[in-house]
Amino acid sequence: GRPTDLAFFTQSMGASATLVEAMRIDQDGNVGIGTTDPVAALHINKNGVPQLLLDAGDDTHGDIVVPSGEILQVGHWDNSTLTYTDRFRIIANGNVGIGTTIPIAKLSVLATSTGYSSDSQIKVSDGSTSYYGGLSFDDAGSTRLSVRNSYDGTGAVVGFGFGSSSDKVQIINGTGFIVNEGNVGIGTT
């Protein structure tokens, strides 16, 4: 016999309502929802609503799980070339990789291009016109190193703080290098 697809149809209430295909299982075992030509094990094509909604009922979260030792990857599928591009992944030990398939730290970010302006690997911003962003590296609630950047429309400031939130060292556009606490050694230990 000839392989065939199995299709499921729905119909709205009323005598004149027509049947509409809701789901299809093709001859390769691929399931299509909203498509008559599924190209993956589960292919969902639905406009205007989330493609997949995980609802835990009375619980406050939905889960996406993979078997132990497996990789969870999220990427883009190109229908015209039938190719997948990995965007980020979580490997078995919990490390997250963006731009890399082998994350070596809890978060590994790799930009494949080189340059200055548009190739930021991580951008932190408060969304205001002051262009403020910062990173804080903490140990048990105590700040060990903070790095911040701000721009007020006239000059940029890069500040480094050690042990508290105040800047100990600042690099200020148009002013230079300022040490707010401690000494600076050049050519000496």
Side-chain angles (χ1 to χ4, degrees):
R2 180 174 78 79
T4 58
D5 293 356
L6 175 62
F8 298 86
F9 293 83
T10 59
Q11 182 179 26
S12 300
M13 298 298 289
S16 62
T18 59
L19 289 172
V20 176
E21 184 172 325
M23 183 177 76
R24 171 177 298 263
I25 303 173
D26 73 7
Q27 60 192 5
D28 297 320
N30 293 336
V31 176
I33 299 173
T35 179
T36 59
D37 188 23
V39 296
L42 176 60
H43 183 166
I44 302 172
N45 182 17
K46 190 95 170 154
N47 291 329
V49 295
Q51 298 292 308
L52 181 62
L53 174 63
L54 304 175
D55 188 346
D58 291 339
D59 208 342
T60 58
H61 62 278
D63 295 326
I64 297 176
V65 295
V66 295
S68 178
E70 297 285 328
I71 295 171
L72 175 64
Q73 24 182 59
V74 176
H76 289 108
W77 177 259
D78 186 331
N79 280 329
S80 63
T81 61
L82 301 179
T83 57
Y84 171 81
T85 304
D86 192 36
R87 297 299 183 206
F88 82 85
R89 62 177 48 207
I90 303 172
I91 63 174
N93 68 3
N95 289 355
V96 176
I98 301 173
T100 179
T101 58
I102 308 169
I104 59 173
K106 287 298 174 191
L107 176 61
S108 296
V109 181
L110 177 66
T112 57
S113 59
T114 58
Y116 175 70
S117 61
S118 63
D119 295 329
S120 298
Q121 292 187 20
I122 298 177
K123 181 176 183 177
V124 180
S125 174
D126 69 354
S128 71
T129 57
S130 64
Y131 304 107
Y132 178 83
L135 293 173
S136 178
F137 301 91
D138 297 344
D139 178 23
S142 299
T143 301
R144 299 299 181 205
L145 170 66
S146 62
V147 181
R148 72 172 186 89
N149 178 53
S150 64
Y151 179 75
D152 62 6
T154 58
V157 175
V158 176
F160 299 90
F162 305 94
S164 70
S165 60
S166 62
D167 290 340
K168 305 300 185 203
V169 177
Q170 292 179 326
I171 302 170
I172 303 173
N173 186 29
T175 304
F177 185 78
I178 298 174
V179 176
N180 292 318
E181 185 178 306
N183 298 321
V184 176
I186 299 175
T188 182
T189 57

